Amino acid sequence: MTLSTHHDAIVVGLGALGAATLNQLAQRGARVLGIDQFDPPHDLGSSHGDSRITRLAVGEGDEYVPFVQRSHAIWRELEARTGMPLMTTTGGLVLAPRDRVAEHHGKSDFVRRTIACAERFGIAHEVLDAAGIRARFPQFHLQGDEIGYLEHEAGFVRPEGAIGAQLAVARSLGAQTRSGERVLAVEPVGNGDTVRVRTDKASFTADRVVVSAGAWLPGFLGEHARADWQAHFSVHRQVMHWFDTGSAAADFAPGRFPIFIWMFGDGQEDYMYGFPSSDPAQPALKVATEQYVDATTPDTIERTVDPAETAAMYRERVAGRFPQIGGRALKARACMYTVTPDRRFVIDELDGLPGVLVVSACSGHGFKHSAGLGDAIADRVLGRSSTLDLSPFARRRLLEKTPG
Ligand SMILES: Cc1cc2nc3c(=O)[nH]c(=O)nc-3n(C[C@H](O)[C@H](O)[C@H](O)COP(=O)(O)OP(=O)(O)OC[C@H]3O[C@@H](n4cnc5c(N)ncnc54)[C@H](O)[C@@H]3O)c2cc1C
């Protein structure tokens, strides 16, 4: 077994959160090593599928807003530095029936929560009724009772590009990365001031370790006899579908069509979200919904999407709402949400091993915040202060019992 040099920090898992953290640590001049079991960006975790929604007014909670704002700034800096297009501003529409308290990501009345958040933070937006939405976006076939929140700065980020760009910049600044190497154990050395990371190929030490293992985190915690931590997370298979826009391609291109979150009723799965075409060579309406009923694991998930799943998506959600779209599917991909009971992130030190910071920022809404989170996490790991507040994501809230 080779024993390498000591690092200021080691990042375990180089997906959305790990790549962002590695980049920010490298920007601060830290001696840093990143390790991934695959070769990121890859399509086996939570960060693939061409596009992720980003929006500044975060109905999931005000505490997220500074992170997505910082992410936007970082992605624009990365675009300038690498020449890679990472973020496309398309406008974003969040809509639901006006008289329902339609829930999304664990928050009821998500549209009005989003409007209130935009007002508090001074985020440019418009509130539209059905006629207003139709006038702006005739592609949506509405019931007539909808309320819509339209945010001008919303759009989509390219997850594979963002991860690739952050890893490339980190490496250019001296970060070491090891791919195709699985971390087996993270353990204290001596009095615990140093942490050892043992992989299937080697062993390394560091002052601090960040575990950003995505959907593999629950299993990882279980293997480290942290059943109490493991119990906070469940993994859920989600499916993304791309439908051919055919002769309507121009109507579903960025500039003409926004990203959208469309709630039809009160249930958390009673909705879909979607994107304008992100690839001019293969114009498509990308749509998905969410499910929180069936849990899975990265080892057992069905990664193949049955054509019947895509046919059901079209029949039940798309056909009646986007009449211009035929049912021809171009592709479909499975992906994983790592979900907490309150749908909020967990970013906290492992009790008994404070040199190890566990980072789980998913529950289906983590990508837009990932670059900003990486910025705050790097400061925390290096013991520096940050204007970004990670305290809302401390684990203790999940241990507090509700009264009565
Ligand atoms: C279908 C879908 C749609 C989504 N839509 C949105 C959206 O529109 N907007 C939004 O903001 N968010 C969205 N999200 C959420 C967002 O994509 C996730 O929050 C984010 O990708 C999570 O990144 P991660 O770094 O935690 O996980 P990942 O990117 O999966 O990274 C984890 C990494 O850890 C590595 N790893 C794990 N265990 C080990 C080990 N033992 N040794 C070495 N490496 C290891 C894995 O190989 C992997 O590369 C969506 C998620 C999905 C699945």
Side-chain angles (χ1 to χ4, degrees):
M1 184 177 286
T2 35
L3 205 60
S4 99
T5 51
H6 184 76
H7 301 270
D8 295 327
I10 295 176
V11 180
V12 177
L14 299 177
L17 275 302
T21 302
L22 193 82
N23 177 35
Q24 294 297 330
L25 284 165
Q27 304 266 354
R28 287 158 177 74
R31 286 171 305 156
V32 62
L33 168 67
I35 307 173
D36 201 286
Q37 62 191 340
F38 303 124
D39 191 10
H42 59 77
D43 62 359
L44 299 167
S46 303
S47 301
H48 56 281
D50 304 343
S51 50
R52 289 289 183 272
I53 286 177
T54 183
R55 50 193 155 84
L56 294 172
V58 187
E60 288 88 348
D62 286 3
E63 66 271 28
Y64 295 96
V65 174
F67 292 98
V68 65
Q69 288 175 327
R70 182 75 186 109
S71 291
H72 282 205
I74 291 170
W75 287 321
R76 289 301 184 215
E77 285 164 20
L78 280 165
E79 285 180 327
R81 186 167 186 154
T82 64
M84 293 170 68
L86 302 180
M87 185 169 67
T88 305
T89 302
T90 61
L93 185 62
V94 183
L95 68 160
R98 179 178 290 279
D99 298 327
R100 308 288 282 267
V101 288
E103 179 179 326
H104 181 53
H105 289 164
K107 303 290 184 197
S108 71
D109 214 0
F110 192 80
V111 177
R112 287 183 188 81
R113 283 181 63 94
T114 302
I115 294 167
C117 177
E119 284 168 356
R120 280 192 293 276
F121 284 88
I123 294 162
H125 70 283
E126 292 170 62
V127 179
L128 303 173
D129 60 10
I133 299 170
R134 273 196 203 105
R136 200 73 65 86
F137 303 113
Q139 301 91 330
F140 291 80
H141 187 76
L142 304 174
Q143 295 294 309
D145 61 350
E146 288 84 358
I147 179 173
Y149 164 84
L150 177 63
E151 181 180 299
H152 307 292
E153 292 299 310
F156 65 84
V157 194
R158 297 176 191 271
E160 296 90 346
I163 291 171
Q166 288 170 109
L167 292 178
V169 171
R171 287 185 191 113
S172 76
L173 295 170
Q176 294 176 33
T177 55
R178 296 174 69 99
S179 54
E181 188 160 340
R182 186 171 161 76
V183 172
L184 303 175
V186 172
E187 53 210 8
V189 179
N191 62 7
D193 285 350
T194 299
V195 185
R196 178 184 298 117
V197 172
R198 201 157 40 79
T199 77
D200 52 7
K201 299 197 174 119
S203 191
F204 312 92
T205 57
D207 295 345
R208 301 292 305 270
V209 172
V210 175
V211 179
S212 45
W216 287 265
L217 179 67
F220 188 87
L221 291 164
E223 286 161 19
H224 285 69
R226 300 282 181 154
D228 53 338
W229 276 74
Q230 184 183 21
H232 301 318
F233 304 98
S234 59
V235 176
H236 298 267
R237 176 180 183 265
Q238 313 293 351
V239 181
M240 302 168 276
H241 310 265
W242 285 255
F243 291 102
D244 189 358
T245 46
S247 59
D251 291 336
F252 290 90
R256 291 273 284 279
F257 188 69
I259 61 95
F260 69 90
I261 295 172
W262 190 350
M263 288 150 276
F264 320 133
D266 292 335
Q268 60 181 354
E269 294 168 15
D270 203 6
Y271 104 109
M272 72 174 159
Y273 64 94
F275 301 80
S277 215
S278 62
D279 178 3
Q282 205 179 39
L285 171 69
K286 176 188 162 187
V287 289
T289 185
E290 294 177 337
Q291 70 83 20
Y292 297 96
V293 177
D294 299 322
T296 188
T297 72
D299 295 330
T300 56
I301 183 174
E302 177 56 70
R303 293 185 192 277
T304 306
V305 179
D306 189 322
E309 295 179 79
T310 302
M313 181 73 187
Y314 179 73
R315 192 176 58 244
E316 292 164 15
R317 292 168 203 267
V318 178
R321 296 186 175 91
F322 294 109
Q324 288 172 284
I325 302 292
R328 195 169 94 85
L330 296 177
K331 63 176 177 174
R333 295 283 181 271
C335 191
M336 290 177 285
Y337 278 7
T338 306
V339 177
T340 62
D342 61 4
R343 308 287 156 79
R344 288 166 59 203
F345 305 160
V346 172
I347 299 175
D348 211 341
E349 277 81 14
L350 264 186
D351 39 298
L353 194 42
V356 178
L357 184 72
V358 172
V359 174
S360 177
C362 188
S363 290
H365 61 109
F367 205 93
K368 66 180 76 59
H369 307 294
S370 58
L373 285 167
D375 195 28
I377 292 166
D379 280 332
R380 173 131 153 201
V381 163
L382 298 177
R384 300 182 187 179
S385 63
S386 171
T387 53
L388 296 165
D389 182 11
L390 290 172
S391 67
F393 312 125
R395 172 187 177 244
R396 67 176 168 274
R397 71 178 196 274
L398 296 174
L399 306 173
E400 287 160 5
K401 299 248 182 302
T402 36

